[in-house]
Amino acid sequence: MEEMNIQHPGLTGLRNLGNTCYMNAIVQCLCSVPPLVEYVLSGNYQAALHNENSESAAAFGSLMSDMWRGEFDSVSPEVFYSVLGKQYPTFSKRTQEDAQEFLICVLNELHQALKKSSKRRCITNAKASGGSVSETSIITQLFEGQLSYEITCLKCKSTTNRPESFTVLSLPIPSKSVCSLQDCLECFFQQDTLTWNNQIYCSWCGTKQDAVVKATITKAPQIIIFHLKRFEWQDWGERKLSTDICYPLSNLDLSPYSSPLFYKNAEYSLCAVVNHSGFLNNGHYTAFCKHPVTKNWYSFDDVQVTEIPDSSVQTDTAYLLFYTSHGLLYTH
């Protein structure tokens, strides 16, 4: 990427096709992840494509290449939007959709097209995900991490461990006014007690029992994505939390939530943010992305691209946070 000498590589706006700001924000963030950009621009993705399930990945690679060519101030994501809509009809209606759900679908499509085995598996978000980790692709190598849930029966004190893979960590927001990303992580990784309808079956006791469960990270991904759960569903409808969440631009430490047996000393730095303003069905998505070459921050609001100071990256509208590790390196 450093060898590109054109005027505006990686600073290309995306036209809004009608309520598609959620897609534009996600695409801009993925196009700011250095190892993914290098993988696509090198052409390696074309050699890895399968004949099946490859249309969306091919369109994504073409779109990223156009954005990094820097020939135009903005380009249309129409082809990518159209082919992805065939696989996921929800995203073909030109209605406002959830950016986190769209992100998971895009990662899944790229994984299915670029995977190195034939066994099918879906990528989902933590606390709702599972599946085998036998398939590998650029997506799993960069974005997939592993959690271990330690479950202890409160009657016989026996302990079992349940592994679970993730590409997105959905974090609860513990405050309605202000909190930090560390507060959200503490809430996610705190020990929970399972009682009543949430009891687990203990094979040692032979019956359902109360238990405690605690999660730890046993494999940290190179790119870790946090989904801040701003939307709550209640009897009368959805409610959005406008909590001002403070998140670091660098030096994010995940060691308190990681197993000492698996943790590597890796420093995480923020590389992209998806912002959401307004409400779920009539809001607007934008992205803040750190340019992989210049290291400057830019705001991407559909076709509008504006350089912003580091101080402007912290907002109370952050919805998705992309962090990259400098200690866990991907090699292709």
Side-chain angles (χ1 to χ4, degrees):
M1 289 186 294
E2 285 82 353
E3 295 175 359
M4 305 185 88
N5 56 9
I6 43 186
Q7 189 172 5
H8 301 294
L11 295 176
T12 303
L14 292 171
R15 292 166 203 158
N16 193 314
L17 306 176
N19 293 312
T20 57
C21 55
Y22 67 91
M23 172 184 68
N24 291 348
I26 292 298
V27 169
Q28 292 290 4
C29 289
L30 291 177
C31 287
S32 298
V33 174
L36 184 61
V37 173
E38 291 174 2
Y39 179 82
V40 171
L41 296 186
S42 70
N44 286 348
Y45 81 98
Q46 293 174 319
L49 284 175
H50 299 288
N51 291 329
E52 303 176 346
N53 307 317
S54 64
E55 195 175 5
S56 296
F60 177 82
S62 178
L63 178 59
M64 181 184 283
S65 297
D66 287 344
M67 294 167 67
W68 271 90
R69 203 168 281 125
E71 295 177 352
F72 304 101
D73 291 336
S74 64
V75 295
S76 173
E78 176 71 45
V79 175
F80 175 62
Y81 177 77
S82 176
V83 296
L84 195 72
K86 295 177 184 177
Q87 293 293 108
Y88 302 93
T90 299
F91 300 121
S92 65
K93 301 174 183 177
R94 298 188 191 259
T95 55
Q96 182 69 275
E97 302 296 339
D98 183 63
Q100 185 248 168
E101 294 176 1
F102 181 78
L103 169 64
I104 290 172
C105 291
V106 171
L107 292 179
N108 188 60
E109 279 299 294
L110 295 176
H111 169 69
Q112 296 299 334
L114 301 169
K115 63 187 179 181
K116 296 179 181 177
S117 71
S118 59
K119 184 178 176 183
R120 186 170 178 84
R121 168 181 165 272
C122 287
I123 291 177
T124 55
N125 61 310
K127 291 211 171 175
S129 69
S132 165
V133 292
S134 60
E135 298 172 342
T136 61
S137 68
I138 180 66
I139 301 304
T140 57
Q141 290 174 43
L142 292 180
F143 296 96
E144 187 173 83
Q146 191 87 13
L147 296 176
S148 177
Y149 288 95
E150 183 180 79
I151 305 169
T152 303
C153 173
L154 290 178
K155 183 177 181 180
C156 71
K157 308 302 180 184
S158 63
T159 298
T160 57
N161 289 282
R162 178 168 62 88
E164 186 175 279
S165 60
F166 70 90
T167 51
V168 178
L169 281 183
S170 291
L171 303 181
I173 300 174
S175 171
K176 295 180 181 178
S177 55
V178 63
C179 68
S180 68
L181 179 60
Q182 294 293 91
D183 293 331
C184 298
L185 287 165
E186 290 284 350
C187 190
F188 181 93
F189 286 101
Q190 70 182 356
Q191 180 174 283
D192 288 335
T193 301
L194 306 178
T195 60
W196 298 95
N197 293 334
N198 293 321
Q199 284 183 325
I200 57 100
Y201 178 81
C202 176
S203 58
W204 292 96
C205 296
T207 59
K208 285 189 174 183
Q209 298 289 346
D210 292 351
V212 292
V213 59
K214 191 174 190 329
T216 57
I217 299 172
T218 54
K219 175 182 175 288
Q222 183 174 342
I223 311 296
I224 191 164
I225 305 171
F226 298 116
H227 164 228
L228 304 176
K229 297 173 70 173
R230 291 195 179 276
F231 297 106
E232 293 183 340
W233 293 96
Q234 300 175 335
D235 292 339
W236 49 269
E238 59 90 11
R239 179 173 75 104
K240 182 182 177 183
L241 295 175
S242 298
T243 305
D244 191 357
I245 302 172
C246 302
Y247 43 90
L249 271 61
S250 60
N251 301 318
L252 175 65
D253 182 15
L254 294 181
S255 61
Y257 322 107
S258 304
S259 168
L261 295 176
F262 297 92
Y263 180 73
K264 296 180 180 179
N265 185 22
E267 175 186 317
Y268 280 89
S269 296
L270 190 68
C271 66
V273 181
V274 171
N275 301 295
H276 181 272
S277 57
F279 299 97
L280 180 61
N281 295 320
N282 61 353
H284 183 60
Y285 287 99
T286 60
F288 294 158
C289 302
K290 188 174 184 178
H291 194 278
V293 177
T294 68
K295 308 303 180 185
N296 295 326
W297 281 93
Y298 292 85
S299 169
F300 294 86
D301 186 352
D302 291 331
V303 298
Q304 188 72 34
V305 181
T306 310
E307 185 174 354
I308 59 174
D310 291 3
S311 58
S312 296
V313 177
Q314 175 76 57
T315 74
D316 60 0
T317 58
Y319 184 53
L320 293 166
L321 303 173
F322 292 67
Y323 280 88
T324 180
S325 166
H326 303 295
L328 302 171
L329 298 178
Y330 160 73
T331 57
H332 60 272

